[in-house]
Amino acid sequence: MSSLPWSQTGLHVIAKPIGPLCNLSCDYCFYLRKDSLYAADEQWRMSDETLEAYVKQYIEAQAAAVEEIAFAFQGGEPTLLGIDFFRQAVELQKRHCPPGKRIHNSLQTNCILLDDRWCEFLAENDFLVGVSIDGPGQLHDKYRHDKAGRGTFDRVVEAVELLKKHGVEFNTLTCINGHNAQRPKKVYRFLRDLGIEFMQFIPIVERMPGVEIFGDQGNQQPDELVSRRSVHPGQFGRFLCELFDQWVAEDVGRVFVRDFDQALAAWVGVGADLCVYTKQCGRATAIEHNGDLYSCDHFVDAGHKLGNIHQASISELANSPRQEQFARHKEERLPEYCRRCPHLFACNGACPKDRILSSPDGQPGLNYLCEGYKTFFEHIDPHMKSMAEELAAGRPPANVMRRLRANRQRVRQETATSGRAARRNDPCPCGSGRKFKSCCMRP
């Protein structure tokens, strides 16, 4: 945790200017159900008054040392608001941005409404666009469809080509679910071949009704606590491992995967800065269309509503004792099993929203994905140490690829001259612990 005072650590407020409204009906979307928090006749569009209050207060809430202020717009589907809403937001940012500060905008979108006019605006105003895509067609369309039940893959890919055409900076957000988690190489290669240079992956963990975070789930098995769409812990770990193997062999320095970047920061010793992997969270809040501020976009519920920015400022709400307590809970409620774990430095219990299991000794608060995280961190450890060594010596971590190629060539030569060739399913002679076919046998 930073040694800076709570109010001086970085603050991020994710804006939901159209609430949960969306032009799609993705099966696993947790935010569509947030309409139950408001009246049936709710006017979901963020008003001009609330937009200006948000922009002004968010800028004022930043610590003095912050030079770049990052605005993030999500939904629902924010493009339903139209270009003029975001043009107004940019003008308000310019009006309220003090000298010496910079503004940067990002927009997470399903891409269905993007056209030339949208892309011209996004390029002109230097927006970073997050493209929601779950892999190639048959994997993406499994759960991401429109309200008529039609797949959306072709329309998303068309939008990606438009973003490229107009020079809009973009990355991808891929939800790992029980379906596409079975095809990690196919997902990664598809995204890479689509020209994606920065990838983000989020595991889908849908709690069943009555399953409480940090709760005692009795004798229920992990699979009984989540939906069938959810990724299984073992699946999650294997997905990340196979993704990593593709990346570390071919794409270090060319393709950036958020989870791998965060892991390297942990191994180097500077620590992750993504809330999932930090000791405490609470500095990534969410603002709804009417100015209601919540502890986190995964905790938009009555129990985590901090207040409304028309009654108290963002700074007051986000730096309140109540929010600080929310942040501390992540660390304070770790089971002893986690505190003794050799991977704690990289994981820190991961996201509290998924901490629904009990540890082997019966303490609540173990992350549902713990098994997967442990598999992943054990798998990447030697490579992360190699990359950390390269960085410490002032060399690029991409050198790890040259080391891997040299090691594989050595193993093949030794195997060929030893008088006994390793078989496909034998343990790899390099000592990785993986099967030969999945390690140095691979070209």
Side-chain angles (χ1 to χ4, degrees), residues 179-425:
H179 185 61
N180 64 3
Q182 301 174 52
R183 307 298 297 273
K185 293 177 184 176
K186 191 168 186 177
V187 170
Y188 178 77
R189 289 170 178 167
F190 164 77
L191 294 173
R192 183 190 61 189
D193 294 347
L194 192 61
I196 308 305
E197 296 178 351
F198 190 92
M199 306 175 189
Q200 303 172 79
F201 296 91
I202 294 181
I204 293 297
V205 180
E206 295 179 301
R207 297 190 306 275
M208 297 298 285
V211 175
E212 298 293 334
I213 299 168
F214 300 111
D216 181 359
Q217 318 304 344
N219 296 321
Q220 288 181 286
Q221 297 300 306
D223 287 351
E224 297 176 313
L225 304 177
V226 299
S227 72
R228 295 182 64 182
R229 288 189 292 265
S230 299
V231 63
H232 185 276
Q235 267 189 328
F236 177 63
R238 290 189 296 273
F239 182 93
L240 289 179
C241 289
E242 291 195 32
L243 215 71
F244 183 85
D245 286 347
Q246 288 287 305
W247 173 80
V248 78
E250 303 171 356
D251 297 317
V252 180
R254 294 196 307 116
V255 174
F256 299 87
V257 180
R258 185 174 66 175
D259 292 282
F260 304 163
D261 290 347
Q262 294 292 311
L264 183 56
W267 259 263
V268 168
V270 299
D273 59 10
L274 180 67
C275 57
V276 172
Y277 299 117
T278 55
K279 287 185 178 180
Q280 299 184 2
C281 51
R283 300 308 281 170
T285 58
I287 189 168
E288 257 293 345
H289 65 293
N290 66 341
D292 287 343
L293 193 72
Y294 293 88
S295 292
C296 168
D297 75 323
H298 288 289
F299 288 85
V300 175
D301 54 51
H304 292 91
K305 179 180 170 182
L306 299 171
N308 187 285
I309 66 169
H310 294 296
Q311 280 80 52
S313 71
I314 287 176
S315 180
E316 291 172 311
L317 296 172
N319 296 316
S320 66
R322 183 179 174 193
Q323 180 66 356
E324 188 170 2
Q325 183 182 49
F326 171 82
R328 290 199 312 266
H329 274 173
K330 181 180 181 183
E331 182 178 20
E332 291 175 350
R333 302 182 74 173
L334 272 175
E336 285 301 317
Y337 178 78
C338 295
R339 298 180 191 277
R340 297 191 302 267
C341 179
H343 308 298
L344 180 62
F345 77 101
C347 168
N348 285 305
C351 185
K353 76 177 179 65
D354 299 328
R355 285 166 63 178
I356 58 176
L357 300 184
S358 292
S359 64
D361 52 6
Q363 279 189 294
L366 183 68
N367 198 291
Y368 168 78
L369 296 169
C370 174
E371 175 193 339
Y373 279 121
K374 289 174 72 172
T375 298
F376 172 59
F377 292 137
E378 288 169 6
H379 182 79
I380 67 175
D381 179 67
H383 302 299
M384 285 295 165
K385 286 177 178 174
S386 293
M387 285 190 276
E389 289 173 7
E390 294 297 317
L391 284 169
R395 298 187 296 263
N399 283 351
V400 71
M401 293 188 291
R402 187 170 65 242
R403 286 194 191 184
L404 281 171
R405 285 192 292 268
N407 191 46
R408 285 177 176 171
Q409 184 176 5
R410 176 186 61 79
V411 168
R412 290 194 193 102
Q413 289 173 342
E414 291 177 356
T415 301
T417 59
S418 66
R420 179 186 178 278
R423 291 179 297 229
R424 288 172 54 82
N425 291 315

Side-chain angles (χ1 to χ4, degrees), residues 4-30:
L4 290 171
W6 172 255
S7 62
Q8 294 302 304
T9 55
L11 173 65
H12 191 52
V13 179
I14 299 170
K16 307 278 190 174
I18 199 162
L21 295 194
C22 188
N23 51 348
L24 298 187
S25 187
C26 301
D27 293 332
Y28 55 61
C29 182
F30 73 97

Side-chain angles (χ1 to χ4, degrees), residues 99-132:
K101 305 286 186 182
R102 301 186 304 276
I103 299 287
H104 186 260
N105 286 291
S106 64
L107 179 77
Q108 187 66 40
T109 175
N110 58 39
C111 293
I112 300 302
L113 295 180
L114 294 188
D115 56 17
D116 285 310
R117 286 185 62 247
W118 261 110
C119 291
E120 288 168 3
F121 168 80
L122 295 168
E124 179 184 340
N125 292 281
D126 196 28
F127 270 68
L128 169 65
V129 174
V131 174
S132 296

